Structure formats: C-alpha cells, structure tokens
Amino acid sequence: MKNDTVNIGLIGFGTIGSGVVTILKQNMDLIEKKSRKKINLKKIVDLDISTPRGVDVDPEKLSTNVDDILEDEDIDIVIELIGGYLPALDFILKALNKGKHVVTANKALLAKHWDEIISAAEENQVKISFEASVGGGIPLLQPLNESLAANNIQSIYGIINGTANYILTKMTQEGLNFDSVLNEAQDKGYAEQDTTFDVEGHDTAQKLILLTILGFGKYVKEENFHVEGIRNITPEDIIFNLEERGYVIKLLGISRKTDNELEVRVHPTLIPQDHLLASVNGVFNGVYIEGDAVGPVMMYGQGAGSMPTASAVIGDCLDIINNPQKEIPFGPLKENPASLKSIENVKSKYYIRLKALDHPGVLHSIAGILSDFNISIESVSQKKLDDGPAVPIFIVTHKASENDLRSALKKIDELKDIKEKSMFIRILEE
C-alpha cells in the first residue's frame, strides 16, 4: 500500500465472493471514509466467470488465471475464498511470499497448516487475517485477540456450526427425528448434500482450533482431541431432558482450562435453559467466553451466508489497511499434545439412555454396575413409549470420570436384558 489507493485481488467468485463484490459496490463511500484510502477491486479470478452472480462486474476485471492477481505487483491485498486445502494453500503462500497481505475465510486450511502460513506472513512482514473463518459475520476473533487481551481466558464454549444447530433446533421445536430434519435442511439449502463435515463435528473442530490458538496460545490438531457429532440424538433424548430437567441439546465446541491442563473437545452437550447459549437457535452461532477479569462475554450472530461472511472479509481488509503492522500475538505454534487433558480423564455429569426389557432386577443390576465404577445416580426414569418389549431408561449421574462411565456402560451393554447399545450425553456445568 504505497499510495492512497489500495488494490485488492479476489480469488473465488462464489457465494461469499459475490457478497464481497456486492458490499464493496453498495457501501464503497463508507468503506473509503473509514479506510481513508481509495479502494480498487482490481481483479476477480474464478474458474467460472460466465455464470451470473447477481452483481454487475466490469468484464475487464474478470479472469480465470490466478497469476493475474499473484503476479501483479500493484495488488496489495489478496482475498482467498475458494476454500479447501489445495490449491488454496499454494495461492496463499505465493501471495504472502510476494509481499501481499491475505484475507481468508478458510478455517480448514488454517487449522491444518497454521505454522506454515503464519511463518510465511511473519517472514515477509505482511498480514494474514481470518475473522470470517469462525462465526461468519460475528465480530469474534479480533475482540478475542484485542479487546480481551488483558484477560487470562478461562473457557470458550461455542455453537459454531449452523447446520447442526438448525437440525437440533428443529428436532427440539417440532419433535422430529434426525433424518427427517436433515432432509429438510438439505432441501432448503441449509445443509450440503454431504453433511458429514457438519453433523459429525469436524467443521466445529476446525473452528475450535482457531479459537483455542487465540484464546490460549495453544495449537491442537483435530486428531488429538475428541470430536463427536449429533447423529445419535433422538427425539426421546430431547423431550426427556427438556420436559423433565429443563435442558437443551447443542453441538458444543469446548476449550477450557481445568486442573492446569487444557480441555479441547467437540460433542453434543446438555445446556440449562437459562444459559445464554441455550437460546442460540436455527442457523445462528454463539460463542460464550469467560475471562478472569471481564467475566462472561457472549457473542451471537449469523455464522454463515454470503453477506454476513463477506462483511467480516471486508472488515479484515479495512483492519489491514488501517493497521498494516499489527501482528498475530502468538505467531507460529508447535503442537504439544502432552498439555491436553484426555477425554477419558474429563469429569462431568452425564445423561444416559438405555433400552432394556422390563424384567425384575434390571434397574438393580444397572445401578450395581454404575456403583462398581464409582458412579452415583442423581435420577432415573423409566418410560414405556411404544408397545415393544423394551423400555427406555433415562439416567442422570452425578459427576464422574469419563473413563469410569465408558467402562461401566460397556459392562451394562453386556447384560442380556439390554437391547440397544447405550448412549450418553455430557452435561454442561460451569
């Protein structure tokens, strides 16, 4: 940025890319006032430059050749919005090595190649900004990075996948099963045809990696922490916990300090109805952060979509223009799995669902096994929901170690009167 004009190159003219172009056209006067620079979207590169995007673009700005951006010495900021690992990694590294600042929404790439990307930015004295990679349009990473910088962060709890949250919300509000809501979400465009990434927790995990870096200065790869999705949640789980206990089920990313160790995990979690996170419904996202000085802070908003995410992308561009020397506090981080608390050593209260034949002594046998593994019962409920021979049993435990719980459930599942594999959900206790 050698003069009063900032030249931007956009790689990826899809949903978010078209949102970036739309906002720049609609709000250019405001953006230029806030940046005190003239903003010039000089080139847009995509493999498809013929399909209408709903926004007018000068054909001279369109190209299918990425080098029209990467080799252009006048381009100051490169926006990468193609997603995935390759060729996005190659494009980002080449841009950084050419001395260009980079803005990206690519949480998967950052989560996997953090050290390589941050090292390249530091070596070339340029910035890599990625506000849009977590929480879409929610101002989240910069506040965590800057506004809360005086705090030792104690915990981060995030509902950060809109597809999973939409499914659980519909199941809760309408009593529908997982498969029917998933099909509806796909029909409405809230979910991809292949939803594995969303409903199995991987998208949440990648975003949680970035939150953990900025919150705790620790880099943890996904394969080294527990990631669990929502496919096994049933309407019975939702109804029992909502009506009997006042809890809702959310897919939660958790990163927190306990016993001088760091817990990082993703799984369905039972949250009390009066907790702020319990009210995060539909495709919205919410992140609840606790600092030692500020206390609890809640950030809420649209976690995806063309315009909200594009808003964060352009915000990053303005931050680079106004603060080109600002660095990411923690820089490259080598992973240290030894500092992580294993999921087996986590202690929690648990909700357990069993299905057993209604025979004398079944509950006694179950309670005996739980007791053998140092697990005490807070409550138990047995409800016959249909005409079948097996009856659902819902158990809530007091706090116990996960290793003990898994061992106990393995023994319980071996009982001849147990007709389905047991299922459990962890209960949030602050």
Side-chain angles (χ1 to χ4, degrees), residues 44 50 57 81 100 118 125 156 166 179 247 251 261 267 287 291 311 332 355 381 390-391 393 396 414 430:
I44 301 170
S50 60
V57 177
L81 296 176
K100 301 180 188 300
I118 301 304
Q125 296 183 320
I156 300 172
Y166 174 84
D179 289 331
Y247 281 74
L251 180 63
E261 292 180 291
H267 49 69
V287 178
S311 167
K355 204 161 190 181
S381 179
V391 177
I393 299 173
V396 176
E414 293 171 356
E430 295 184 75

Side-chain angles (χ1 to χ4, degrees), residues 3 16 37 84 148 151 171 204-205 283 286 294 303 350 390:
N3 51 46
I16 301 171
K37 300 275 188 180
L148 301 179
N151 288 258
M171 290 178 69
T204 297
V283 296
V294 74
Y350 297 93

Side-chain angles (χ1 to χ4, degrees), residues 15 21 31 60 148 174 189 195 205 210 297 299 354 364 372 380:
T15 301
V21 177
I31 293 166
E60 293 296 317
L148 301 179
E174 301 181 19
T195 59
L210 300 182
V297 175
M299 301 176 188
L354 305 166
H364 179 76
D372 290 342
V380 60

Side-chain angles (χ1 to χ4, degrees), residues 41-104:
L41 180 58
K42 188 175 183 185
K43 190 66 68 174
I44 301 170
V45 169
D46 197 282
L47 293 175
D48 172 14
I49 57 174
S50 60
T51 301
R53 265 57 170 206
V55 58
D56 292 331
V57 177
D58 181 352
E60 293 296 317
K61 292 182 180 286
L62 297 172
S63 172
T64 58
N65 184 0
V66 74
D67 282 340
D68 287 343
I69 289 176
L70 299 179
E71 298 291 347
D72 186 338
E73 293 183 359
D74 291 333
I75 287 181
D76 305 292
I77 300 174
V78 175
I79 300 173
E80 179 277 311
L81 296 176
I82 61 173
Y85 298 112
L86 292 173
L89 177 62
D90 294 336
F91 295 163
I92 286 176
L93 291 177
K94 187 171 183 179
L96 294 172
N97 289 329
K98 290 281 185 179
K100 301 180 188 300
H101 303 287
V102 172
V103 173
T104 181

Side-chain angles (χ1 to χ4, degrees), residues 177-196:
N177 63 41
F178 174 86
D179 289 331
S180 62
V181 177
L182 177 59
N183 292 335
E184 180 187 329
Q186 289 170 324
D187 291 341
K188 290 186 174 181
Y190 294 140
E192 303 289 341
Q193 288 307 304
D194 181 1
T195 59
T196 302

Side-chain angles (χ1 to χ4, degrees), residues 325-360:
Q325 304 304 316
K326 187 172 69 179
E327 296 181 351
I328 295 173
F330 298 110
L333 294 167
K334 298 300 181 185
E335 188 186 29
N336 180 17
S339 65
L340 276 181
K341 189 169 191 174
S342 168
I343 189 70
E344 285 79 12
N345 295 326
V346 166
K347 290 187 176 181
S348 174
K349 293 177 64 174
Y350 297 93
Y351 155 82
I352 304 168
R353 169 171 40 87
L354 305 166
K355 204 161 190 181
L357 296 178
D358 192 10
H359 290 166

Side-chain angles (χ1 to χ4, degrees), residues 161-217:
N161 181 270
T163 299
N165 200 45
Y166 174 84
I167 291 170
L168 290 174
T169 299
K170 291 285 284 187
M171 290 178 69
T172 301
Q173 293 176 347
E174 301 181 19
L176 302 173
N177 63 41
F178 174 86
D179 289 331
S180 62
V181 177
L182 177 59
N183 292 335
E184 180 187 329
Q186 289 170 324
D187 291 341
K188 290 186 174 181
Y190 294 140
E192 303 289 341
Q193 288 307 304
D194 181 1
T195 59
T196 302
F197 199 62
D198 294 314
V199 302
E200 297 296 346
H202 302 299
D203 177 76
T204 297
Q206 290 174 346
K207 294 170 182 175
L208 186 64
I209 290 169
L210 300 182
L211 289 171
T212 301
I213 289 171
L214 296 181
F216 300 98

